[in-house]
């Protein structure tokens, strides 16, 4: 993994939540993780994406 990639489950959670519109409960069942883990993964992934988008490119 490099600095521009999300860990696997965080990526899956973001795709299922943000692009596919699944509820956290549905994502929990689909990825086999607890609801708390799904919420945590989404929170961390959202912060990661914001940090990457807000960081100016290296020159």
């Amino acid at each position: 993994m490099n600095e521009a990639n999300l860990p696997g489950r965080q990526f899956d959670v973001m795709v299922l939540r943000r692009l596919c519109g699944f509820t956290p409960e549905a994502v929990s069942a689909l990825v086999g993780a607890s609801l708390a883990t799904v919420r945590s993964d989404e929170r961390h992934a959202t912060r990661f994406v914001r940090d990457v988008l807000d960081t100016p490119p290296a020159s």
Side-chain angles (χ1 to χ4, degrees):
M1 182 178 85
N2 66 39
E3 64 184 33
N5 293 329
L6 285 170
R9 194 178 60 224
Q10 287 182 15
F11 179 84
D12 293 343
V13 167
M14 288 298 279
V15 168
L16 292 169
R17 289 282 294 132
R18 304 295 175 116
L19 298 178
C20 298
F22 285 100
T23 64
E25 294 80 8
V27 174
S28 173
L30 287 167
V31 300
S34 71
L35 185 56
T37 298
V38 167
R39 288 180 175 149
S40 176
D41 284 343
E42 184 176 11
R43 183 175 57 254
H44 288 290
T46 299
R47 287 182 187 153
F48 176 85
V49 170
R50 283 185 185 144
D51 288 346
V52 168
L53 293 177
D54 288 341
T55 303
S59 48

